[in-house]
């Protein structure tokens, strides 16, 4: 039997002793010595490796890419600030089926500014965005709220045809970073405390500003305080989506009037105020309905 090819004298000596008397206690003792030595070295190596392992910095696993598709049709990148930000424009329905609320996710008007409403293209001299929206066939009014834009269409127009064009104009204009209204913007002063206000008027203004106005703005509209009469009636003007809504009377009576009368005993009712143009349009509409009813009565079969 040939000895193993090695350069360690200890291993050669162990091989010679084990080949002569493998069952002797001395040979077994010598055979066990390298095992104990190797085990001790292994333990030392393991403890050193453990210490080195605990000194390494913690590794964080890489983030898995999202598998959800990105809605590119509703995301634009604004360059209004040095750092680019992603803008999500959402649309919400309103109680008025002819009005749609667009929420860009950023302030539309400055803080404490009064809401602005355009009911015709002639009024859009200070708003290029509203002027562009009125050029679309079917748009009848544009309303700017604190953080939303409400667009109202004609009853014979269809939203699935008009909505993509309105959405494209709003996103394109907001992408430029220019304000929606050029020039001076009036502050919201209708519910602001004034000198000479009675205690009842102060309570009405506070209630309108803290409770009623936020609820009306959720529906894409706004209210404007016009005064308090001696008979106990609060004069209000509905704006935005609530102005042309069929349920505007229900909103005034069941919503605003009930809350004001519940908290303030001096309030006896709420009256809606119309501008001169709106009064003329309403009279013409009532006259048209009367003539139509008369015509139907003459042609009706007995």
């Amino acid at each position: 039997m040939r000895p193993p090819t090695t350069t360690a004298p200890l291993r050669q000596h162990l091989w010679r002793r084990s080949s002569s008397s493998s069952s002797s206690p001395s040979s077994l003792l010598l055979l066990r010595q390298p095992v104990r030595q190797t085990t001790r070295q292994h333990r030392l190596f393991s403890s050193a490796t453990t210490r080195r392992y605990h000194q390494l910095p913690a590794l964080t696993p890489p983030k898995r890419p999202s598998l959800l598709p990105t809605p590119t049709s509703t995301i634009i990148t604004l360059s209004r600030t040095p750092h680019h930000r992603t803008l999500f424009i959402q649309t919400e329905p309103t109680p008025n089926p002819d009005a749609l609320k667009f929420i860009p996710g950023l302030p539309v008007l400055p803080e404490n500014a009064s809401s602005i409403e355009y009911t015709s293209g002639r009024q859009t001299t200070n708003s290029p965005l509203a002027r562009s929206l009125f050029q679309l066939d079917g748009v009848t009014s544009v309303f700017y709220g604190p953080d939303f834009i409400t667009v109202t269409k004609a009853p014979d127009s269809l939203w699935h045809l008009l909505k993509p064009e309105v959405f494209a104009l709003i996103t394109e204009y907001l992408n430029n970073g220019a304000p929606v209204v050029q020039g001076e913007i009036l502050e919201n002063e209708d519910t602001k405390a004034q000198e000479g206000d009675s205690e009842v008027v102060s309570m009405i203004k506070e209630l309108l500003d803290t409770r009623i106005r936020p609820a009306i703005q959720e529906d894409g509209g706004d209210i404007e305080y016009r005064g308090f009469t001696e008979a106990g009636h609060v004069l209000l003007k509905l704006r935005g989506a609530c102005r042309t809504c069929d349920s505007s009377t229900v909103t005034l009576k069941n919503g605003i009037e009930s809350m004001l009368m519940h908290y303030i005993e001096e309030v006896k009712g709420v009256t809606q105020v119309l501008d001169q143009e709106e009064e003329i349009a309403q009279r013409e509409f009532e006259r048209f309905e009367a003539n139509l009813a008369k015509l139907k009565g003459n042609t009706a079969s007995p």
Side-chain angles (χ1 to χ4, degrees):
M1 181 181 298
R2 296 181 57 188
T5 304
T6 177
T7 58
L10 180 60
R11 292 184 179 180
Q12 292 179 359
H13 175 73
L14 292 176
W15 181 84
R16 286 194 297 269
R17 293 294 302 269
S18 61
S19 59
S20 59
S21 58
S22 57
S23 60
S24 62
S26 60
S27 63
L28 293 176
L29 181 62
L30 291 175
L31 284 174
R32 290 170 185 167
Q33 288 179 358
V35 176
R36 288 197 300 269
Q37 185 177 4
T38 304
T39 304
R40 182 172 178 275
Q41 292 177 356
H42 176 70
R43 290 176 181 175
L44 293 176
F45 176 77
S46 301
S47 60
T49 306
T50 304
R51 288 195 300 271
R52 290 181 58 189
Y53 175 76
H54 287 292
Q55 292 176 1
L56 293 177
L59 299 179
T60 57
K63 295 183 179 180
R64 299 180 60 184
S66 177
L67 300 179
L68 298 177
T70 303
T72 56
S73 59
T74 60
I75 299 179
I76 58 175
T77 302
L78 292 181
S79 58
R80 183 175 296 181
T81 58
H83 301 283
H84 294 288
R85 56 179 298 184
T86 304
L87 175 67
F88 295 87
I89 295 185
Q90 302 176 355
T91 57
E92 290 183 359
T94 65
N96 186 358
D98 293 329
L100 196 61
K101 183 179 178 182
F102 294 83
I103 306 175
L106 52 83
V108 176
L109 297 176
E111 188 177 0
N112 298 327
S114 176
S115 57
I116 303 174
E117 185 176 16
Y118 303 96
T119 56
S120 65
R122 298 188 301 270
Q123 303 173 352
T124 60
T125 55
N126 62 341
S127 178
L129 175 58
R131 190 182 312 118
S132 301
L133 291 173
F134 269 101
Q135 292 177 359
L136 300 177
D137 188 16
V139 175
T140 58
S141 70
V142 177
F143 179 81
Y144 293 150
D147 55 356
F148 64 90
I149 300 173
T150 301
V151 178
T152 307
K153 68 174 182 63
D156 56 348
S157 299
L158 301 177
W159 271 124
H160 71 274
L161 299 177
L162 187 60
K163 179 181 174 180
E165 298 181 359
V166 174
F167 182 83
L169 287 177
I170 294 178
T171 52
E172 181 181 0
Y173 189 84
L174 292 180
N175 192 27
N176 296 330
V180 295
V181 179
Q182 298 177 353
E184 184 181 1
I185 302 177
L186 299 178
E187 293 186 358
N188 192 9
E189 297 182 352
D190 62 327
T191 55
K192 187 177 181 180
Q194 303 290 339
E195 294 184 2
D197 288 345
S198 62
E199 183 180 359
V200 176
V201 173
S202 299
M203 290 189 297
I204 292 173
K205 289 183 177 181
E206 183 178 359
L207 194 60
L208 290 174
D209 198 23
T210 58
R211 294 290 188 88
I212 299 176
R213 173 164 284 158
I216 299 297
Q217 289 178 350
E218 286 292 330
D219 293 336
D222 202 351
I223 55 173
E224 184 178 349
Y225 174 75
R226 291 294 184 89
F228 181 66
T229 65
E230 296 180 357
H233 284 262
V234 180
L235 305 180
L236 297 177
K237 175 178 172 56
L238 295 177
R239 308 178 66 185
C242 301
R243 181 178 57 85
T244 58
C245 182
D246 296 336
S247 60
S248 59
T249 305
V250 179
T251 302
L252 283 175
K253 297 299 181 181
N254 296 346
I256 301 175
E257 185 178 85
S258 300
M259 181 175 290
L260 289 174
M261 293 176 63
H262 176 75
Y263 287 100
I264 305 174
E265 297 179 355
E266 291 79 1
V267 175
K268 305 303 180 182
V270 175
T271 303
Q272 183 178 2
V273 178
L274 301 177
D275 293 335
Q276 184 177 2
E277 295 181 357
E278 296 175 351
E279 291 179 355
I280 295 175
Q282 185 174 2
R283 286 198 299 264
E284 292 294 332
F285 181 73
E286 291 177 355
R287 185 182 305 173
F288 173 77
E289 283 189 338
N291 295 334
L292 184 61
K294 187 184 298 184
L295 181 61
K296 288 183 178 180
N298 295 334
T299 58
S301 59

